[in-house]
Amino acid sequence: MNIAVIGTGYVGLVTGTCLAETGNHVVCVDIDVNKVEKLRNGIITIYEPGLESLFEHNIKQGRLSFTTELHEGISGADIVFLALPTPPGNDGSADLQYILKVADDLGQLLTKYTVIVDKSTVPVGTAERVRDHISKNTNQEFDVVSNPEFLREGVAVEDFMKPDRVVIGTTSEKAKKLMSELFAPLVRQGNPILFMDERSAELTKYAANSFLATKITFMNEVANLCEKLGADIDAVRKGIGTDTRIGKRFLFAGIGYGGSCFPKDVQALAKSSKSVDYDFKILNAVMDINTSQKVKLIPKMESYFNGDLANKTIAIWGLAFKPYTDDIREAPSTENIRILIEKGAKIQVYDPEAIENIRVKFGDSINYYEDEYSALKGADALLIVTEWPIFRTPDFVRMGELMNQKLIFDGRNLYATELPEKHGFTYISIGRKEIYGK
Ligand code: NAD
């Protein structure tokens, strides 16, 4: 099939590349001239495991190309995916300006029956609005389908190629047939394509992300309680996770969720609920708790240093909002860095992939290092923010030699508490006993 993907960010580039890999001819469109220039020159613009080789292979095969021109991109397309940003507007609801602008333009460009697919995360009723915006400018037959994306950054290619399920919101038989054909190679193992109405498909995405954010937040609350009651969150996690009704995943306590999706989607669902006079109370609690959870180690750090972080050197391991990505949107690292700078601390950071993105945000106000050990030189404390595997089995002896003090604040509970304790570290983590080094 001929496919156009409008918006070539995390979702668009993965969607375009993977659909080219399954044999389609894909043109990706983006208004960012620099991005398109790089992609045309074979330079990948995001870090996503496994993506680069598929990207190179499909360009070479002539199935994947890039343009800044919408009319060029959609010419001959059977299906047009919208993978555009839906950031929070001033009031927290999803800002649909990018989607509706492209819908207006598409109306002027359709020359044959086309399926327009909302892949962006959009509030209930958006498919109808997109349809209205397109029809204003055309008499061509077309369908608008909601096909929310569930890929996780860091494993996006795998998630796209082997989805747990594909959700397709449409009542058009013609669109259903085309979408089924397109997704057939991805669900050969028997995972379902779930057809439903557009509104339910749109809500499914928000409900999924909000449920996951709630699950994480619930465990963070239990962890905070563990600290007060002298219980251990790891033991409690295992205790409840073995109950098949609860399941083992998304039960790890830490310093909050971030990223481009959970924070904005929880906020947008709360706003959508409010707009129909429904007070979705649990979502407000989730947002409040997560905001404080993200920076919960700072007061502990301050209290350790008798209320004064000025001129303390703090090393930070991990900047991306989660491992295997360079994405720092809403990452807990950014809020911690901001506050630490404000308090006069000197900051030394390392992340395997996200350094350049953090450099754009913080410039010369912090120091950047090439590996995890050099970031520790002369540090008064280490703050662990992202659970990259490289941080899981460090050389504690070497760490102790490099640091000014053997002091770790671990926002991701990477170590069994005995390990840093054995090496004389003070080790303060989430929902577990605080260890004070000798
Ligand atoms: P992104 O910001 O990485 O990419 C969006 C791209 O759209 C950018 O490259 C931007 O230049 C481009 N763009 C903006 N206006 C344009 C226009 N008029 N024409 C062409 N291109 C235009 O965003 P993303 O992370 O890929 O997210 C896209 C959507 O998918 C959002 O709604 C998001 O909530 C949803 N989503 C994201 C993820 C994720 O993990 N990132 C997962 C599932 C769903």
Side-chain angles (χ1 to χ4, degrees):
M1 267 186 239
N2 291 319
I3 307 292
V5 180
I6 320 300
T8 314
Y10 284 88
V11 169
L13 189 57
V14 171
T15 301
T17 306
C18 291
L19 290 177
E21 180 66 14
T22 53
N24 301 289
H25 281 90
V26 181
V27 185
C28 293
V29 182
D30 205 288
I31 43 164
D32 183 333
V33 179
N34 292 333
K35 192 179 272 191
V36 170
E37 179 69 18
K38 275 191 184 158
L39 292 166
R40 277 185 153 165
N41 288 324
I43 301 165
I44 196 146
T45 44
I46 55 169
Y47 171 73
E48 194 54 56
L51 186 62
E52 194 163 6
S53 58
L54 294 186
F55 166 81
E56 284 168 0
H57 172 70
N58 283 286
I59 291 177
K60 224 178 256 164
Q61 297 292 316
R63 286 195 298 264
L64 181 61
S65 59
F66 302 90
T67 178
T68 51
E69 302 303 317
L70 185 63
H71 67 89
E72 211 177 290
I74 71 145
S75 142
D78 304 298
I79 302 181
V80 176
F81 282 90
L82 307 183
L84 294 156
T86 48
N90 291 336
D91 66 349
S93 59
D95 180 354
L96 293 179
Q97 62 163 310
Y98 303 94
I99 302 268
L100 298 179
K101 165 76 175 70
V102 170
D104 286 335
D105 295 345
L106 279 176
Q108 296 167 17
L109 298 169
L110 297 184
T111 54
K112 60 167 190 148
Y113 171 76
T114 312
V115 176
I116 317 295
V117 183
D118 273 341
K119 210 165 214 353
S120 300
T121 303
V122 289
V124 171
T126 303
E128 289 147 48
R129 292 184 69 187
V130 168
R131 189 174 300 118
D132 290 347
H133 276 253
I134 297 175
S135 11
K136 265 192 321 203
N137 295 327
T138 188
N139 292 320
Q140 271 298 333
E141 186 194 0
F142 69 92
D143 278 307
V144 176
V145 168
S146 165
N147 167 225
E149 181 51 59
F150 298 98
L151 65 76
R152 296 161 297 168
E153 286 178 25
V155 274
V157 172
E158 205 185 314
D159 281 349
F160 194 92
M161 295 302 253
K162 291 180 190 165
D164 288 344
R165 78 308 204 185
V166 175
V167 169
I168 294 178
T170 181
T171 44
S172 152
E173 288 304 320
K174 211 166 167 180
K176 248 187 219 177
K177 187 167 172 294
L178 266 182
M179 293 297 282
S180 303
E181 276 172 32
L182 183 69
F183 280 99
L186 309 180
V187 291
R188 292 187 62 241
Q189 287 176 341
N191 290 347
I193 298 183
L194 304 172
F195 290 103
M196 57 184 79
D197 64 276
E198 296 149 10
R199 288 184 159 245
S200 303
E202 288 166 338
L203 187 54
T204 296
K205 173 66 192 179
Y206 280 110
N209 274 0
S210 298
F211 184 80
L212 293 170
T214 304
K215 200 172 176 190
I216 294 171
T217 303
F218 181 84
M219 287 311 283
N220 287 340
E221 286 272 79
V222 177
N224 294 342
L225 193 59
C226 282
E227 289 174 16
K228 302 249 179 225
L229 296 177
D232 183 313
I233 190 63
D234 279 345
V236 177
R237 171 177 57 79
K238 287 177 192 150
I240 68 170
T242 38
D243 183 329
T244 49
R245 291 170 304 174
I246 294 173
K248 296 187 176 76
R249 299 174 70 187
F250 270 75
L251 293 184
F252 288 85
I255 48 170
Y257 61 78
S260 66
C261 292
F262 285 3
K264 94 172 160 55
D265 293 351
V266 173
Q267 201 181 13
L269 186 56
K271 275 283 158 194
S272 289
S273 308
K274 214 168 175 191
S275 74
V276 288
D277 280 334
Y278 185 74
D279 183 11
F280 203 145
K281 295 189 189 74
I282 203 170
L283 296 182
N284 297 325
V286 166
M287 288 186 282
D288 281 353
I289 295 159
N290 196 57
T291 301
S292 46
Q293 191 72 13
K294 274 181 167 181
V295 292
K296 84 165 245 143
L297 288 174
I298 299 235
K300 294 199 179 206
M301 218 181 263
E302 247 177 339
S303 120
Y304 184 90
F305 289 114
N306 299 320
D308 189 11
L309 289 173
N311 298 318
K312 291 286 175 298
T313 299
I314 312 294
I316 298 183
W317 279 4
L319 303 166
F321 84 92
K322 66 174 188 178
Y324 298 109
T325 180
D326 58 356
D327 197 342
I328 59 159
R329 291 179 280 186
E330 303 281 336
S333 65
T334 57
E335 194 53 11
N336 279 282
I337 292 173
R338 192 189 64 72
I339 296 174
L340 287 170
I341 291 176
E342 215 174 80
K343 292 188 181 290
K346 191 176 154 242
I347 298 164
Q348 309 189 153
V349 302
Y350 172 69
D351 184 283
E353 295 295 336
I355 292 263
E356 288 318 311
N357 287 337
I358 282 284
R359 201 193 296 273
V360 170
K361 203 173 170 73
F362 291 101
D364 292 340
S365 55
I366 61 175
N367 300 303
Y368 307 89
Y369 289 84
E370 298 271 293
D371 67 86
E372 65 274 30
Y373 291 106
S374 45
L376 292 180
K377 255 181 229 156
D380 296 300
L382 165 64
L383 171 63
I384 301 176
V385 180
T386 316
E387 64 276 34
W388 282 97
I390 187 83
F391 304 145
R392 283 188 187 274
T393 51
D395 179 342
F396 284 100
V397 175
R398 190 168 165 202
M399 289 169 75
E401 285 164 4
L402 288 164
M403 294 175 75
N404 241 349
Q405 304 189 45
K406 292 181 172 182
L407 175 58
I408 302 175
F409 293 89
D410 183 355
R412 298 296 172 193
N413 289 358
L414 293 192
Y415 316 118
T417 49
E418 304 79 52
L419 207 59
E421 184 175 30
K422 194 175 91 185
H423 291 93
F425 276 80
T426 292
Y427 182 60
I428 294 169
S429 52
I430 308 283
R432 304 187 299 175
K433 187 172 72 171
E434 295 186 353
I435 303 293
Y436 287 90
K438 310 217 167 45

PDB file of all heavy atoms in Angstrom, residues 313-330:
ATOM      1  N   THR A 313      28.631  19.102  45.622  1.00  0.00           N
ATOM      2  CA  THR A 313      28.703  18.548  44.270  1.00  0.00           C
ATOM      3  C   THR A 313      27.834  17.297  44.206  1.00  0.00           C
ATOM      4  O   THR A 313      28.092  16.325  44.924  1.00  0.00           O
ATOM      5  CB  THR A 313      30.170  18.220  43.919  1.00  0.00           C
ATOM      6  OG1 THR A 313      30.903  19.438  43.980  1.00  0.00           O
ATOM      7  CG2 THR A 313      30.282  17.609  42.537  1.00  0.00           C
ATOM      8  N   ILE A 314      26.816  17.361  43.351  1.00  0.00           N
ATOM      9  CA  ILE A 314      25.894  16.219  43.239  1.00  0.00           C
ATOM     10  C   ILE A 314      26.075  15.589  41.851  1.00  0.00           C
ATOM     11  O   ILE A 314      25.900  16.255  40.825  1.00  0.00           O
ATOM     12  CB  ILE A 314      24.412  16.663  43.397  1.00  0.00           C
ATOM     13  CG1 ILE A 314      24.217  17.567  44.626  1.00  0.00           C
ATOM     14  CG2 ILE A 314      23.484  15.450  43.412  1.00  0.00           C
ATOM     15  CD1 ILE A 314      24.438  16.916  45.970  1.00  0.00           C
ATOM     16  N   ALA A 315      26.421  14.311  41.850  1.00  0.00           N
ATOM     17  CA  ALA A 315      26.495  13.581  40.575  1.00  0.00           C
ATOM     18  C   ALA A 315      25.113  13.006  40.296  1.00  0.00           C
ATOM     19  O   ALA A 315      24.423  12.575  41.223  1.00  0.00           O
ATOM     20  CB  ALA A 315      27.517  12.461  40.691  1.00  0.00           C
ATOM     21  N   ILE A 316      24.722  13.026  39.025  1.00  0.00           N
ATOM     22  CA  ILE A 316      23.420  12.432  38.669  1.00  0.00           C
ATOM     23  C   ILE A 316      23.636  11.356  37.610  1.00  0.00           C
ATOM     24  O   ILE A 316      24.238  11.611  36.561  1.00  0.00           O
ATOM     25  CB  ILE A 316      22.437  13.506  38.150  1.00  0.00           C
ATOM     26  CG1 ILE A 316      22.171  14.534  39.263  1.00  0.00           C
ATOM     27  CG2 ILE A 316      21.132  12.865  37.681  1.00  0.00           C
ATOM     28  CD1 ILE A 316      21.156  15.611  38.903  1.00  0.00           C
ATOM     29  N   TRP A 317      23.145  10.164  37.909  1.00  0.00           N
ATOM     30  CA  TRP A 317      23.180   9.070  36.932  1.00  0.00           C
ATOM     31  C   TRP A 317      21.781   8.918  36.352  1.00  0.00           C
ATOM     32  O   TRP A 317      20.840   8.587  37.068  1.00  0.00           O
ATOM     33  CB  TRP A 317      23.573   7.754  37.617  1.00  0.00           C
ATOM     34  CG  TRP A 317      25.042   7.581  37.837  1.00  0.00           C
ATOM     35  CD1 TRP A 317      26.036   8.476  37.579  1.00  0.00           C
ATOM     36  CD2 TRP A 317      25.678   6.408  38.379  1.00  0.00           C
ATOM     37  NE1 TRP A 317      27.255   7.952  37.924  1.00  0.00           N
ATOM     38  CE2 TRP A 317      27.065   6.675  38.421  1.00  0.00           C
ATOM     39  CE3 TRP A 317      25.220   5.173  38.839  1.00  0.00           C
ATOM     40  CZ2 TRP A 317      27.997   5.746  38.892  1.00  0.00           C
ATOM     41  CZ3 TRP A 317      26.131   4.249  39.314  1.00  0.00           C
ATOM     42  CH2 TRP A 317      27.508   4.532  39.333  1.00  0.00           C
ATOM     43  N   GLY A 318      21.676   9.170  35.047  1.00  0.00           N
ATOM     44  CA  GLY A 318      20.409   8.982  34.364  1.00  0.00           C
ATOM     45  C   GLY A 318      19.643  10.278  34.230  1.00  0.00           C
ATOM     46  O   GLY A 318      19.355  10.957  35.210  1.00  0.00           O
ATOM     47  N   LEU A 319      19.329  10.636  32.973  1.00  0.00           N
ATOM     48  CA  LEU A 319      18.622  11.881  32.677  1.00  0.00           C
ATOM     49  C   LEU A 319      17.338  11.622  31.883  1.00  0.00           C
ATOM     50  O   LEU A 319      16.357  12.334  32.034  1.00  0.00           O
ATOM     51  CB  LEU A 319      19.545  12.808  31.873  1.00  0.00           C
ATOM     52  CG  LEU A 319      20.880  13.131  32.561  1.00  0.00           C
ATOM     53  CD1 LEU A 319      21.861  13.749  31.570  1.00  0.00           C
ATOM     54  CD2 LEU A 319      20.674  14.051  33.752  1.00  0.00           C
ATOM     55  N   ALA A 320      17.371  10.590  31.048  1.00  0.00           N
ATOM     56  CA  ALA A 320      16.188  10.255  30.236  1.00  0.00           C
ATOM     57  C   ALA A 320      15.043   9.869  31.172  1.00  0.00           C
ATOM     58  O   ALA A 320      15.278   9.416  32.290  1.00  0.00           O
ATOM     59  CB  ALA A 320      16.512   9.088  29.317  1.00  0.00           C
ATOM     60  N   PHE A 321      13.799  10.008  30.698  1.00  0.00           N
ATOM     61  CA  PHE A 321      12.680   9.718  31.607  1.00  0.00           C
ATOM     62  C   PHE A 321      12.574   8.232  31.894  1.00  0.00           C
ATOM     63  O   PHE A 321      11.956   7.816  32.865  1.00  0.00           O
ATOM     64  CB  PHE A 321      11.362  10.309  31.072  1.00  0.00           C
ATOM     65  CG  PHE A 321      10.639   9.462  30.063  1.00  0.00           C
ATOM     66  CD1 PHE A 321       9.666   8.556  30.465  1.00  0.00           C
ATOM     67  CD2 PHE A 321      10.921   9.576  28.707  1.00  0.00           C
ATOM     68  CE1 PHE A 321       8.989   7.773  29.537  1.00  0.00           C
ATOM     69  CE2 PHE A 321      10.244   8.807  27.780  1.00  0.00           C
ATOM     70  CZ  PHE A 321       9.279   7.900  28.193  1.00  0.00           C
ATOM     71  N   LYS A 322      13.208   7.418  31.061  1.00  0.00           N
ATOM     72  CA  LYS A 322      13.334   5.985  31.340  1.00  0.00           C
ATOM     73  C   LYS A 322      14.485   5.437  30.510  1.00  0.00           C
ATOM     74  O   LYS A 322      14.997   6.137  29.620  1.00  0.00           O
ATOM     75  CB  LYS A 322      12.022   5.254  31.065  1.00  0.00           C
ATOM     76  CG  LYS A 322      11.625   5.239  29.596  1.00  0.00           C
ATOM     77  CD  LYS A 322      10.393   4.371  29.447  1.00  0.00           C
ATOM     78  CE  LYS A 322      10.034   4.136  28.015  1.00  0.00           C
ATOM     79  NZ  LYS A 322       8.894   3.263  27.853  1.00  0.00           N
ATOM     80  N   PRO A 323      14.939   4.204  30.784  1.00  0.00           N
ATOM     81  CA  PRO A 323      16.082   3.686  30.027  1.00  0.00           C
ATOM     82  C   PRO A 323      15.757   3.438  28.557  1.00  0.00           C
ATOM     83  O   PRO A 323      14.595   3.327  28.190  1.00  0.00           O
ATOM     84  CB  PRO A 323      16.390   2.344  30.712  1.00  0.00           C
ATOM     85  CG  PRO A 323      15.569   2.292  31.932  1.00  0.00           C
ATOM     86  CD  PRO A 323      14.447   3.253  31.795  1.00  0.00           C
ATOM     87  N   TYR A 324      16.787   3.343  27.759  1.00  0.00           N
ATOM     88  CA  TYR A 324      16.709   3.034  26.325  1.00  0.00           C
ATOM     89  C   TYR A 324      16.032   4.125  25.508  1.00  0.00           C
ATOM     90  O   TYR A 324      15.431   3.847  24.459  1.00  0.00           O
ATOM     91  CB  TYR A 324      16.014   1.678  26.063  1.00  0.00           C
ATOM     92  CG  TYR A 324      16.742   0.515  26.667  1.00  0.00           C
ATOM     93  CD1 TYR A 324      16.217  -0.160  27.768  1.00  0.00           C
ATOM     94  CD2 TYR A 324      17.966   0.104  26.164  1.00  0.00           C
ATOM     95  CE1 TYR A 324      16.903  -1.211  28.352  1.00  0.00           C
ATOM     96  CE2 TYR A 324      18.661  -0.959  26.732  1.00  0.00           C
ATOM     97  CZ  TYR A 324      18.122  -1.607  27.827  1.00  0.00           C
ATOM     98  OH  TYR A 324      18.793  -2.644  28.387  1.00  0.00           O
ATOM     99  N   THR A 325      16.052   5.353  25.995  1.00  0.00           N
ATOM    100  CA  THR A 325      15.555   6.454  25.186  1.00  0.00           C
ATOM    101  C   THR A 325      16.413   7.681  25.474  1.00  0.00           C
ATOM    102  O   THR A 325      17.102   7.724  26.507  1.00  0.00           O
ATOM    103  CB  THR A 325      14.067   6.757  25.479  1.00  0.00           C
ATOM    104  OG1 THR A 325      13.641   7.838  24.651  1.00  0.00           O
ATOM    105  CG2 THR A 325      13.809   7.138  26.922  1.00  0.00           C
ATOM    106  N   ASP A 326      16.372   8.644  24.535  1.00  0.00           N
ATOM    107  CA  ASP A 326      17.069   9.917  24.785  1.00  0.00           C
ATOM    108  C   ASP A 326      16.045  10.999  25.142  1.00  0.00           C
ATOM    109  O   ASP A 326      16.363  12.167  25.214  1.00  0.00           O
ATOM    110  CB  ASP A 326      17.878  10.336  23.543  1.00  0.00           C
ATOM    111  CG  ASP A 326      17.000  10.481  22.301  1.00  0.00           C
ATOM    112  OD1 ASP A 326      15.781  10.180  22.371  1.00  0.00           O
ATOM    113  OD2 ASP A 326      17.527  10.887  21.249  1.00  0.00           O
ATOM    114  N   ASP A 327      14.802  10.583  25.360  1.00  0.00           N
ATOM    115  CA  ASP A 327      13.706  11.528  25.600  1.00  0.00           C
ATOM    116  C   ASP A 327      13.752  12.046  27.044  1.00  0.00           C
ATOM    117  O   ASP A 327      13.776  11.257  27.989  1.00  0.00           O
ATOM    118  CB  ASP A 327      12.376  10.803  25.344  1.00  0.00           C
ATOM    119  CG  ASP A 327      11.205  11.749  25.163  1.00  0.00           C
ATOM    120  OD1 ASP A 327      11.327  12.926  25.557  1.00  0.00           O
ATOM    121  OD2 ASP A 327      10.165  11.305  24.635  1.00  0.00           O
ATOM    122  N   ILE A 328      13.758  13.364  27.190  1.00  0.00           N
ATOM    123  CA  ILE A 328      13.807  13.941  28.545  1.00  0.00           C
ATOM    124  C   ILE A 328      12.531  14.720  28.861  1.00  0.00           C
ATOM    125  O   ILE A 328      12.471  15.434  29.857  1.00  0.00           O
ATOM    126  CB  ILE A 328      15.029  14.878  28.725  1.00  0.00           C
ATOM    127  CG1 ILE A 328      14.984  16.029  27.701  1.00  0.00           C
ATOM    128  CG2 ILE A 328      16.326  14.112  28.625  1.00  0.00           C
ATOM    129  CD1 ILE A 328      15.814  17.224  28.104  1.00  0.00           C
ATOM    130  N   ARG A 329      11.505  14.565  28.019  1.00  0.00           N
ATOM    131  CA  ARG A 329      10.282  15.333  28.267  1.00  0.00           C
ATOM    132  C   ARG A 329       9.670  14.914  29.608  1.00  0.00           C
ATOM    133  O   ARG A 329       9.445  13.739  29.858  1.00  0.00           O
ATOM    134  CB  ARG A 329       9.278  15.127  27.119  1.00  0.00           C
ATOM    135  CG  ARG A 329       9.764  15.774  25.825  1.00  0.00           C
ATOM    136  CD  ARG A 329       8.796  15.566  24.680  1.00  0.00           C
ATOM    137  NE  ARG A 329       8.920  14.246  24.087  1.00  0.00           N
ATOM    138  CZ  ARG A 329       8.265  13.854  22.994  1.00  0.00           C
ATOM    139  NH1 ARG A 329       7.428  14.680  22.387  1.00  0.00           N
ATOM    140  NH2 ARG A 329       8.419  12.644  22.507  1.00  0.00           N
ATOM    141  N   GLU A 330       9.441  15.889  30.479  1.00  0.00           N
ATOM    142  CA  GLU A 330       8.855  15.659  31.815  1.00  0.00           C
ATOM    143  C   GLU A 330       9.674  14.679  32.656  1.00  0.00           C
ATOM    144  O   GLU A 330       9.149  14.052  33.596  1.00  0.00           O
ATOM    145  CB  GLU A 330       7.413  15.130  31.719  1.00  0.00           C
ATOM    146  CG  GLU A 330       6.465  16.011  30.945  1.00  0.00           C
ATOM    147  CD  GLU A 330       5.951  17.198  31.744  1.00  0.00           C
ATOM    148  OE1 GLU A 330       5.935  17.136  32.976  1.00  0.00           O
ATOM    149  OE2 GLU A 330       5.586  18.202  31.109  1.00  0.00           O
TER     150      GLU A 330
END
